[in-house]
Amino acid sequence: MVDPRRDIEVYLDLAESNGLDINYIFETHRNEDYVIGSLELAEATGAEIFHGKNLNFQYGTPTSEGNIFHMGTVELEVLETPGHTLESISLAVRDLSASDDVQMVFTGDVIFAGETGRIDFYGIDRRPQMAGLLYESIFQKILPLGDGVILCPAHGAGSVCGADIREQDYTTVGYEKKTNPQLQFASKDDFVDFKISEELYTPPYFKKMEFYNQNGVPALGMLPHLRPMPVKFLKDWAQRGAQVLDVRKPTSYAGGHIPGSLNIWEEGVAAFAGWFLNYEDPIILVDDQSHGLLEVKLALARLGFDNIHGYLANGFPSWYLHAEHVDKLNLWTVHDLKKHQDDSDLFLLDVRKIDDWKKGYIEGAHHIYLGEIPLKMKEIPHDIPLVVYCDSGYKSTIACSFLKNNGYTHLTSVVGSMTAWEKAGYPVVND
Amino acid sequence: MVDPRRDIEVYLDLAESNGLDINYIFETHRNEDYVIGSLELAEATGAEIFHGKNLNFQYGTPTSEGNIFHMGTVELEVLETPGHTLESISLAVRDLSASDDVQMVFTGDVIFAGETGRIDFYGIDRRPQMAGLLYESIFQKILPLGDGVILCPAHGAGSVCGADIREQDYTTVGYEKKTNPQLQFASKDDFVDFKISEELYTPPYFKKMEFYNQNGVPALGMLPHLRPMPVKFLKDWAQRGAQVLDVRKPTSYAGGHIPGSLNIWEEGVAAFAGWFLNYEDPIILVDDQSHGLLEVKLALARLGFDNIHGYLANGFPSWYLHAEHVDKLNLWTVHDLKKHQDDSDLFLLDVRKIDDWKKGYIEGAHHIYLGEIPLKMKEIPHDIPLVVYCDSGYKSTIACSFLKNNGYTHLTSVVGSMTAWEKAGYPVVND
Amino acid sequence: MVDPRRDIEVYLDLAESNGLDINYIFETHRNEDYVIGSLELAEATGAEIFHGKNLNFQYGTPTSEGNIFHMGTVELEVLETPGHTLESISLAVRDLSASDDVQMVFTGDVIFAGETGRIDFYGIDRRPQMAGLLYESIFQKILPLGDGVILCPAHGAGSVCGADIREQDYTTVGYEKKTNPQLQFASKDDFVDFKISEELYTPPYFKKMEFYNQNGVPALGMLPHLRPMPVKFLKDWAQRGAQVLDVRKPTSYAGGHIPGSLNIWEEGVAAFAGWFLNYEDPIILVDDQSHGLLEVKLALARLGFDNIHGYLANGFPSWYLHAEHVDKLNLWTVHDLKKHQDDSDLFLLDVRKIDDWKKGYIEGAHHIYLGEIPLKMKEIPHDIPLVVYCDSGYKSTIACSFLKNNGYTHLTSVVGSMTAWEKAGYPVVND
Amino acid sequence: MVDPRRDIEVYLDLAESNGLDINYIFETHRNEDYVIGSLELAEATGAEIFHGKNLNFQYGTPTSEGNIFHMGTVELEVLETPGHTLESISLAVRDLSASDDVQMVFTGDVIFAGETGRIDFYGIDRRPQMAGLLYESIFQKILPLGDGVILCPAHGAGSVCGADIREQDYTTVGYEKKTNPQLQFASKDDFVDFKISEELYTPPYFKKMEFYNQNGVPALGMLPHLRPMPVKFLKDWAQRGAQVLDVRKPTSYAGGHIPGSLNIWEEGVAAFAGWFLNYEDPIILVDDQSHGLLEVKLALARLGFDNIHGYLANGFPSWYLHAEHVDKLNLWTVHDLKKHQDDSDLFLLDVRKIDDWKKGYIEGAHHIYLGEIPLKMKEIPHDIPLVVYCDSGYKSTIACSFLKNNGYTHLTSVVGSMTAWEKAGYPVVND
């Protein structure tokens, strides 16, 4: 297994159904965006854990360039590929029954489909050094493996570990050589300059993940048993600081929600909860039907949030049936936005990633990435109507719910956002 | 089996798991509020169908007072119990291995938990006659069976076949004698007077049910295979008259919905679809997650709606991602309503059943039962804001969505409605 | 709430969806056959716990004859109804808005549908005293409430708390007066004689339940997160004493199973696991598809078995794909049994409850109740073929799997058992 | 869409959730192993259908070498790649926003991961011609696209369209050049010789698929609504020729099954039902729990089996509870087989694909591919014990169940089969 996640059932099932044992676990680097499942998996299988030698892990065994691991006719060779981090390794795979050449490579965070690894974890000063290392790892270790080699990166689309990773389970060396924008620079210097200037986001939960993944993760032997919570208990807990997380879709949240609750739609919890939740105060979930709470619980557990306390019994309708106060959020379609776009007294906020912004935005908009809103709130005026958009209306609603809880009023989220804006044929500008 | 529904799997499974055969099917009367599954079940099991002799059914065998059917040590005796309809029968059950006395009785629509059957199906003129028959059926046939006899009526809470049926799977003769308000009258005349004056609702789908249930129902061998429908196809169909049914919760619908769509929340389809949908135009479902569409399909099939055409692919978010126009509905909490209660330019509409209204309503409200709104729209003014409430906010949102599709604007639905109003301690008036 | 179970979600959801609070929790007695959820529910709702005064509970508040609790228009009155235990209480319910008479009664283990409470928990000597108390509780407290009163007992069919409880959610006083065999005796003395002579079963887990339910139950805040387990780990754990529980159906188990595993089909775990599992050694589940493991986990948790360790990854097929040894069990149909019934060298064992046995058995059979096999193994010969039957073939397969693990060979379980035997028209004898 | 399947929900959902329309449907060739969903999808979306010009399709539009289709910045170019069939086309994809070179190719049945397309559909005489065409298509059209090009074939592991396709969603040109055994021949002649000598299987359902896929498929607007069937009805239907399909696992089937039923485990239905079921007689399913019947129904529908009639109500246990006769199948572990391997009076049958057999088999075994058993039964002796193995024990149990229904007795299926045999370290021979 390479870089296993914390809920390891899927690996164990897969191994057993193929009559295989799991003997080796490799960590391509100290992952920073999810809780690694190595110890969990090692305990469950007896496998040995390996990682690069250039970081002082509190568990597992260091491994170095050229080390080879044998599994039947398959062998894995360790390539040291620093750049993203110093201890980063890649794993080249040969199935000797098919060919003596490398046929596949696990690249961790060195190179992704359409992206390369970020190099900003060691501070501004070391960016040039790290970018140079990354260049060498890619051009001297990975690309020479051959165009046809299947390339398995550690992350897919949506990860914060790369600005703009494509949605593709795996890719090939040759495909990346042709299509990966970062492999098209004229020289190493150009590559390094580009990487130095990259603007990437570092969610607050990275710290927790780094600590866990270097020092070892508590066993997931027990997961919180989510308990339904009466309205009055939720209120008590919320008054004592509990984090109320509403996982319904934007229109449901807009139609009515618990004052003070944060909205992150169910499938978005994995990507965005880490920017807005803390690890101390209990988390209470709110849904309409309690259909997907198990998935939400797992998504949170993978980020190390074991402080989930329960969920609102019988879903959001309980709230208003108990005569509690309900907040609403204003929604606009892109047609509403078009009509009001030139209103002088309106602050239009684009919360997409900076790279999406650079490709084109709506005239008059200001840009702050969703995850950075907590840090950059002072850039957002209080006294005028605030209209927020993203790609689809999901992330803009997260932003609105967060701003609402921080004293903003006159908030509007744009459903459909850029996807619908372009569909409607409205103009997009860029600098 | 007594009065089986159209999707008969549950009966077949139950019989097989107990090693039993289904040999007899009884219809206590021609049911008018759901499609009867007798023919379906007879075909699947070889059972014989029986019903009362005073209606000309196109299938099955008439049975009369005193007929006895034997099943092992159990016997069923037919009691003719007209009143609700002329052909109504009840079925008295004896398990001879336990006692020679009647131990249980299936009463069809003669008597329910807390209610008695409606007697208004034969027109105003025959109400006194039918009420008299019903009185005799209850007081001369059912009550004499003994206080401890378990009484199994054909309907539970929420049915339109009785004004105010309690939520209770079964009851007892003695319990009804003590607590059923309609058994407390001083005389037969008082009972008849009460029944004559009862105001009950007759949904339009009753006609279809009556026709089906007297003449035979098409086999449910094939159910429509619901197909996801792209946005542009839904639009095409809607323009050609398709009925767009949004089965999300009130707050979701309020936050945003397809213009022209009717909102009935998933679990409410069984009770309310028949008032608003027709049997000719194709029905297209809209949900957020497509979780419960199978249940909705079954609920519609039980009402004879086999004209379901599909559902919006990927749920409501598809709609705004395609830059389509989105309508919203205003929601108020009971606190908002309290604040505005005395606004002179506001028409407050209570859409609960008349009996709930009689127990108490919000000062200033007008009453039209939800199901009768299509017939009584002219009583509702167009030029002033319209605020609708019910028990919980679910039914008032149905009303608002229907009125919206019929030219009304300035609509508000009150979430929480009477439940929350009373919880909040706000005053309730009655006449 | 009366006598809540340990996984309390269902109560909380029900209360919230009806806009109700849970303020009072009543324990009709110290339950001995499941872990009571009172503390769990009290913590989740703030409700107060009450129980009878004649036992020294380590939590909650004693309550006495005539105490009345008010909830809106409803009131509950405590009736002291000793007999099953000394502290047993019943709760009479009046809805004053309907009638001033008692309309419903919660009877705990005093009287069931078709049964009365067992009186054997205080030892042989005190049976006459307890039976007398029970008689008085029933005849002087419960029956006088009136024939039509709805009677809600604490247990349904399948419970070990009564020999032969009917499958019925609730019953009536009058129905029981007519049909309950134990209310038909000519005198109190006859009743007492009958109760004294009753043969009932006391599973080993009762001790654990009694301790928990008198002294307080550990919170179920965390439930074990079941982990899939590779074959080799299951083997290791089994060698160190783990209890391997195969929850597949009898034919699956018969076709092939892990040597040493105990078979209890999924839905049977609640009723039978407590006879055969201990609370110390880890429990490992084996299924084919892992469909129902959550239900099994809950069923075990309700019995206080928190020592579940995991389940075989990818189900039973993993076992044979790893070339492990597979055991089989011989199955007979009732036709096979008929053919061999007179074989002299065969020990035919009926493992049904003694009351079923008394109603009729297969000629030549010996009787030991399934749950008592561990105690009475010496009555079962080792040297001749052993053929086991029950009602259906499920419980006989439990018996066979247990006996197999205790050194018996030449075992046969009869699928269909008495149900099929009677269906086939084969003769049944009784004494 | 390329080569859509008949239940098209997944495509429609995917398109909508990405805000895309489906405008073009391509068929790489007339598929012969599943019912194509082109007409279904065209009707649902308005898309146009295209296929190669060298076959007379009764629907859609022919397309030729070099035709280009534009979708935003993406273009698809048609490559005529005959060999598997004469009308076979491949589709080369360029995303012009990334690079002007081809980046991906859909190859239909020309080349797979680890395999190339079969060339035997036009009869023995034309094999050399077709193999030559295939060689040119691969070596002159596909491989020159470049090593890094992502290659998407029409089938994955388990398909009968290639002897030994790897389990991999997609592959690359370069990866195949290195590892695909059929691309390693020294010359075109060697390739052609190899392809001519290939032994592949042609299931009987191919004829139906070919007819459907050339002439148009009936719309799947309605799928049979599976009805639970009482035991006595199943018996009636079976006597009139219905096909009883038991979808339980091998050990469940071995433990007990309905005489005359065919066993194909749930997930195996897609691959094996077409060899053994006919399109005329009604199909009745038997399961233990009815968990996966919807999946089975879809798997059968994809093969054009719309003649499913229902399923045994309450699963297999119903059968024996009704005192019906039960058949059993003998199972051996690999250890049992080892012990008896040298028994002279035993016919050991290997039912794996011929290519697996060639890699190694158990000494003394005879080989007939599972799907060909119906045609080659006369090679299997009747008078001696028959022991069947495959990879895992699943397919050998299919074989046993089929042979049982055709008069064979003394049948044994080996659970674990070759997987376990090798795990146990037992010897494998080859020629």
Side-chain angles (χ1 to χ4, degrees), chain C residues 248-252 254-256 266-267 288-289 291 316-317 320-326 328 330-335 391-392 394 415-416 419-420 423-424, chain D residues 248-252 254-256 266-267 288-289 291 316-317 320-326 328 330-335 391-392 394 415-416 419-420 423-424:
Chain C
R248 296 175 301 153
K249 293 233 187 309
T251 39
S252 305
E266 188 184 320
E267 293 83 3
D288 250 346
Q289 298 270 20
H291 275 132
F316 178 67
Y320 56 71
L321 288 171
H322 277 75
E324 297 297 338
H325 285 276
V326 168
K328 286 182 275 188
N330 193 39
L331 295 184
W332 275 0
T333 63
V334 292
H335 311 297
D391 308 291
S392 63
Y394 284 61
V415 288
T419 305
K423 200 100 186 170
Chain D
R248 297 176 300 153
K249 292 233 188 308
T251 39
S252 305
E266 189 185 319
E267 293 83 1
D288 248 347
Q289 298 270 19
H291 275 132
F316 179 68
Y320 56 72
L321 287 171
H322 277 77
E324 298 297 337
H325 285 277
V326 168
K328 286 182 275 186
N330 193 40
L331 295 184
W332 275 359
T333 63
V334 293
H335 310 298
D391 307 291
S392 63
Y394 283 61
V415 289
T419 305
K423 201 99 187 170

Side-chain angles (χ1 to χ4, degrees), chain C residues 105-337:
Chain C
V105 63
F106 295 93
T107 59
D109 282 14
V110 171
I111 178 167
F112 306 107
E115 261 292 345
T116 64
R118 56 194 295 182
I119 47 82
D120 60 334
F121 286 163
Y122 298 82
I124 282 251
D125 292 351
R126 296 182 64 184
R127 285 190 181 194
Q129 176 207 354
M130 299 309 291
L133 286 171
L134 188 71
Y135 183 88
E136 282 155 28
S137 292
I138 295 172
F139 282 85
Q140 292 170 19
K141 297 273 179 77
I142 306 296
L143 300 191
L145 295 173
D147 278 7
V149 167
I150 291 177
L151 192 160
C152 301
H155 298 287
S159 166
V160 279
C161 293
D164 202 17
I165 305 178
R166 281 196 314 272
E167 191 167 346
Q168 197 173 323
D169 282 352
Y170 45 94
T171 178
T172 77
V173 168
Y175 191 90
E176 293 310 309
K177 275 165 67 178
K178 265 192 200 146
T179 65
N180 190 318
Q182 299 183 20
L183 306 190
Q184 315 305 324
F185 292 107
S187 68
K188 176 175 172 181
D189 284 351
D190 289 353
F191 175 86
V192 169
D193 286 350
F194 172 82
K195 293 303 287 184
I196 290 172
S197 71
E198 265 190 332
E199 302 179 60
L200 281 148
Y201 305 111
T202 304
Y205 67 92
F206 272 28
K207 277 210 173 45
K208 182 88 168 186
M209 300 302 96
E210 288 167 6
F211 178 82
Y212 268 169
N213 291 346
Q214 183 163 354
N215 296 288
V217 183
L220 191 65
M222 306 283 266
L223 261 185
H225 174 63
L226 290 194
R227 174 185 284 171
M229 199 171 277
V231 164
K232 67 176 178 183
F233 269 55
L234 184 149
K235 283 178 70 179
D236 281 0
W237 279 100
Q239 270 158 18
R240 285 179 282 148
Q243 311 176 79
V244 180
L245 178 61
D246 185 325
V247 298
R248 296 175 301 153
K249 293 233 187 309
T251 39
S252 305
Y253 177 84
H257 58 263
I258 298 177
S261 60
L262 178 76
N263 176 248
I264 305 178
W265 84 106
E266 188 184 320
E267 293 83 3
V269 168
F272 300 105
W275 289 99
F276 297 100
L277 298 179
N278 66 55
Y279 286 90
E280 291 76 38
D281 299 312
I283 298 168
I284 301 172
L285 305 176
V286 176
D287 197 354
D288 250 346
Q289 298 270 20
S290 317
H291 275 132
L293 296 179
L294 178 62
E295 278 311 305
V296 171
K297 184 168 78 169
L298 282 175
L300 289 171
R302 286 175 197 148
L303 297 171
F305 289 104
D306 294 345
N307 51 328
I308 318 176
H309 200 79
Y311 61 95
L312 178 57
N314 210 46
F316 178 67
S318 290
W319 186 257
Y320 56 71
L321 288 171
H322 277 75
E324 297 297 338
H325 285 276
V326 168
D327 271 8
K328 286 182 275 188
L329 172 68
N330 193 39
L331 295 184
W332 275 0
T333 63
V334 292
H335 311 297
D336 298 322
L337 174 57

